[in-house]
């Protein structure tokens, strides 16, 4: 099992940017996903990146605004969040995926076995 620690959350005004980091105890062989959960809402998978960084997935809700990347040498996965909206307010978690696949030309990852504790992102004026 891999240990994951998120950081980088905070309070930002609408239209602003934040970069979240997810530091892993071991990263090379894992795809990593980012999730978020707002109060009263179900957890949403918003992005995932393959172990080689060659494939990525974005939910429609963040596509074009968020960018996932990774630096295996630093054991870190990043989530650059631009053009933030109040509806992006949530606790953001990263998780290590046990499975990756493609369907219809779209990349997916799943079977998340290890999770970080989360970092709060609040978008408000």
């Amino acid at each position: 099992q891999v240990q994951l620690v998120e950081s980088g959350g905070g309070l930002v005004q609408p239209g602003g940017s934040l970069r979240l980091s997810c530091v892993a105890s071991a990263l090379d062989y894992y795809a990593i996903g980012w999730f978020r959960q707002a109060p009263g809402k179900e957890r949403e998978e918003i992005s995932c990146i393959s172990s080689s960084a060659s494939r990525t997935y974005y939910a429609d809700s963040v596509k074009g605004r968020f960018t996932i990347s990774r630096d295996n040498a630093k054991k870190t996965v990043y989530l650059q969040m631009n053009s933030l909206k109040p509806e992006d307010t949530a606790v953001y978690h990263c998780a290590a995926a046990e499975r990756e696949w493609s369907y219809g030309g779209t990349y997916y990852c799943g079977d998340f076995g290890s999770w970080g504790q989360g970092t709060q992102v609040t978008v408000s004026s």
Side-chain angles (χ1 to χ4, degrees):
Q1 199 172 27
V2 61
Q3 283 74 50
L4 302 165
V5 179
E6 304 95 335
S7 63
L11 174 64
V12 63
Q13 292 187 341
S17 298
L18 282 175
R19 188 177 78 159
L20 305 184
S21 298
C22 171
V23 178
S25 59
L27 186 61
D28 288 9
Y29 304 109
Y30 289 97
I32 299 292
W34 280 99
F35 293 75
R36 66 185 182 187
Q37 188 163 20
K41 294 189 176 181
E42 291 189 358
R43 186 173 62 199
E44 176 188 16
E45 182 182 0
I46 56 172
S47 188
C48 192
I49 187 167
S50 64
S51 55
S52 65
S54 61
R55 303 295 305 273
T56 56
Y57 161 83
Y58 296 97
D60 287 343
S61 57
V62 304
K63 197 173 294 182
R65 300 188 297 123
F66 291 10
T67 302
I68 192 170
S69 61
R70 65 192 288 156
D71 184 337
N72 283 355
K74 295 183 178 180
K75 298 181 180 179
T76 303
V77 174
Y78 304 99
L79 187 68
Q80 178 67 43
M81 306 187 297
N82 298 329
S83 303
L84 283 162
K85 306 174 182 179
E87 51 263 43
D88 294 318
T89 295
V91 177
Y92 285 69
H93 298 266
C94 61
E98 304 285 345
R99 194 165 66 100
E100 305 174 68
W101 71 98
S102 292
Y103 180 77
T106 300
Y107 167 77
Y108 298 96
C109 54
D111 290 351
F112 295 94
S114 300
W115 293 79
Q117 83 291 347
T119 185
Q120 175 71 46
V121 172
T122 302
V123 184
S124 175
S125 55

